[in-house]
Amino acid sequence: MCGSTHTKKNGVRKGVQLYKCQDCSYQFRAGVEVSEDVLWDAYQQEKQTIRELSERFGKSVSTIKRRLHDIKREWVQPPLSGEGFVHLDVTYWGRNFGVLLALDSQTGNPLYMAFVKSETMKDYEDAISSIKERGYTIRGLIIDGKQSLFKTFSEYHIQMCQFHMKQIIRRYLTLNPKMHAGRELKDLVSRLHKVDEAGFKKDYQEWKEKWKETINHKSLHKDGKLHYTHQRLRAAMNSLNFYLPYLFTYQREDSKGMPNTNNKIEGTFTDLKKNLNNHSGLTLQNRKRFIPGFFLALTETLSMKKQEPR
């Protein structure tokens, strides 16, 4: 635009006032100046689409796209201090694109974020090493089922997410098990959050004794070999056997304040995906620009809440 002050109204298009420069005949839209922060916040936090932003700020769609593309929001692992329990998990979009995230269990503050193609042990080890090296003392981890993690991080107090334990059992037994043994096991696990460790182990041992013959029953298969008849029931039991030592870590004296589920990190992933879904059609590159911006905004929001007078 030429910068001349000699302008006049030149009609309205799609509800937006148009102007024309009397000196050079340049035609332009009415609009408001908007900072990068305001534009990005409206796009990401207020979940406005590019067309909605165009109408709100009186800029063309192409201008809004260009402005958003020029905004840089890069995630740099922040300096840390203090101690606490850490939620650790990965969420995916498709098969080869995911985000590994670590959150402080008390504040919900992101401690670590990285893009991953798959859940390798090195990805998790890098996350834990980074958190420690930046000054945060890990009192324990809350994770949701990747069995190799329990051995790799055995030096820490580990809580298996009780919600995910229930989901695992439901996958093996279905929502409505036909067998009485399956129904009783599902009901037993559904009470995880209501009982203490000693009580649960006692009830579980009684269940195994009661249904010992059913659990160990074998049938002759077409290959001429004997196989366990109720394999899904046994799979549910074996899974519970593996995770049992980690299901009640939060109740122990040295783990007071530890959550018993990964709900905080699951809620963060849900918010992230809702924001992304509001901008359907984003390329992988644009998603990688959007996601760091989401966590930077989350960090800023939590920091502001911390500073507010109580």
Side-chain angles (χ1 to χ4, degrees), residues 266-278:
E266 292 293 340
T268 302
F269 283 147
T270 298
D271 289 341
L272 170 61
K273 290 188 173 183
K274 282 181 179 178
N275 279 19
L276 275 170
N277 289 340
N278 195 59

Side-chain angles (χ1 to χ4, degrees), residues 200-250:
F200 182 84
K201 287 183 174 179
K202 175 178 176 295
D203 291 342
Y204 181 44
Q205 186 59 39
E206 289 176 355
W207 176 88
K208 287 197 284 190
E209 287 295 324
K210 177 179 179 179
W211 297 103
K212 181 165 55 178
E213 290 187 10
T214 300
I215 294 166
N216 294 323
H217 188 271
K218 291 186 177 182
S219 303
L220 187 64
H221 282 217
K222 293 180 179 179
D223 60 5
K225 297 180 180 179
L226 288 172
H227 296 270
Y228 287 110
T229 306
H230 308 293
Q231 294 186 11
R232 296 186 68 84
L233 179 65
R234 287 188 61 87
M237 181 189 71
N238 291 335
S239 181
L240 185 55
N241 288 343
F242 177 86
Y243 293 117
L244 187 56
Y246 311 100
L247 286 172
F248 297 95
T249 306
Y250 77 104

